Amino acid sequence: MKTWEEVINEEKEKDYYKNLEKQINSKYETSTVFPPKEKIFNAFSKTQIENLKVVILGQDPYHGFGQAQGLSFSTPKEIKNPPSMQNILKEIEDDLKRPSYCLDGDLNPWAEDGVLLLNTILTVEESKPKSHHKLGWEIFTDNIIKYISQNCKDIVFILWGGPAIAKTKIIDRSKHHILTAPHPSPLSSYRGFFGCKHFSKTNEFLESIGKKAINW
């Protein structure tokens, strides 16, 4: 199987990516963009493909100063947990009957445990959510999801909210396990995110196929 570096380098040779790269480089030069440029591909650095067990799909990075670190939903230790992260931790506590190991919202331990924390858009301008929508990141991340679907087996895809759930159509259900629920945002969490039990369900599935559970 290819490494992430090989997969990403193949994408970088495509015309859509060359166009995306020009736009992104210009944005970093002319405005405040998150995450820091060196952390755009942080999710792939933290979770090697040979260790991959779970994919949690987010939308785009946090757009407040110092929050985004290249991992979906995750924030650095010193940052107050955003509302979605607070709700994720609450669901873990209710689901697993214990606090999460990541109480400060820094999800690096999940990433190192085999959870790819992937946003569908990898950059954003300060205070402008979805500002880098349709620049080309969605093509890139769709191709990553397709690569995982085609070349890996028994991956748990955790899809929260409409845009993430829409990715179901590019995932091979016969090879992978898909969990869907409303987004953990305060606007939708009470419509079915709370009580979804995705953390215990993921671990039950992983253990059923002989893999080690995630330390949520």
Side-chain angles (χ1 to χ4, degrees):
M1 188 183 296
K2 295 172 186 171
T3 64
W4 281 135
E5 187 177 17
E6 290 169 328
V7 174
I8 291 169
N9 283 341
E10 285 184 7
E11 291 301 309
K12 287 182 174 181
E13 292 301 313
K14 298 176 181 177
D15 288 342
Y16 87 86
Y17 192 93
K18 290 175 181 175
N19 183 48
L20 165 66
E21 192 169 40
K22 282 180 193 169
Q23 293 181 81
I24 294 301
N25 286 339
S26 174
K27 303 277 188 192
Y28 271 97
E29 288 169 8
T30 57
S31 55
T32 303
V33 178
F34 303 128
K37 207 170 185 181
E38 68 274 10
K39 290 193 173 180
I40 290 176
F41 297 113
N42 201 25
F44 304 101
S45 302
K46 297 290 183 179
T47 311
Q48 297 304 314
I49 196 164
E50 62 269 20
N51 301 326
L52 182 62
K53 294 187 274 189
V54 179
V55 177
I56 297 182
L57 207 57
Q59 193 162 52
D60 63 346
Y62 294 119
H63 53 85
F65 185 80
Q67 292 179 312
Q69 53 180 179
L71 305 172
S72 62
F73 297 103
S74 181
T75 53
K77 287 178 167 51
E78 63 274 13
I79 297 290
K80 181 184 175 185
N81 290 337
S84 291
M85 191 68 241
Q86 291 176 28
N87 287 340
I88 289 168
L89 297 175
K90 183 176 185 298
E91 174 59 20
I92 289 172
E93 189 165 345
D94 291 346
D95 182 12
L96 303 180
K97 312 303 180 210
R98 61 155 176 81
S100 168
Y101 292 113
C102 299
L103 287 175
D104 52 24
D106 182 349
L107 304 184
N108 272 284
W110 292 8
E112 290 157 8
D113 210 14
V115 181
L116 183 68
L117 296 161
L118 181 66
N119 282 314
T120 54
I121 304 165
L122 298 190
T123 54
V124 69
E125 286 171 47
E126 184 173 23
S127 304
K128 294 181 181 177
K130 290 192 76 178
S131 49
H132 290 182
H133 177 46
K134 292 190 175 176
L135 294 183
W137 279 130
E138 291 95 337
I139 301 170
F140 173 83
T141 49
D142 274 6
N143 287 349
I144 293 293
I145 294 165
K146 289 173 187 173
Y147 184 85
I148 295 169
S149 177
Q150 291 163 10
N151 295 279
C152 301
K153 191 170 182 291
D154 293 326
I155 303 300
V156 181
F157 286 86
I158 296 179
L159 310 176
W160 295 328
I165 292 169
K167 304 300 180 185
T168 302
K169 65 182 181 292
I170 58 174
I171 301 166
D172 186 344
R173 282 182 173 273
S174 70
K175 291 170 64 181
H176 304 287
H177 195 61
I178 300 175
L179 298 173
T180 63
H183 196 275
S185 152
L187 296 172
S188 54
S189 55
Y190 287 93
R191 297 186 199 142
F193 174 76
F194 289 133
C196 70
K197 299 189 181 298
H198 281 180
F199 304 98
S200 60
K201 287 176 180 177
T202 294
N203 282 351
E204 285 165 12
F205 174 75
L206 292 174
E207 289 176 332
S208 76
I209 58 171
K211 290 185 180 179
K212 189 181 173 192
I214 304 295
N215 269 337
W216 300 113

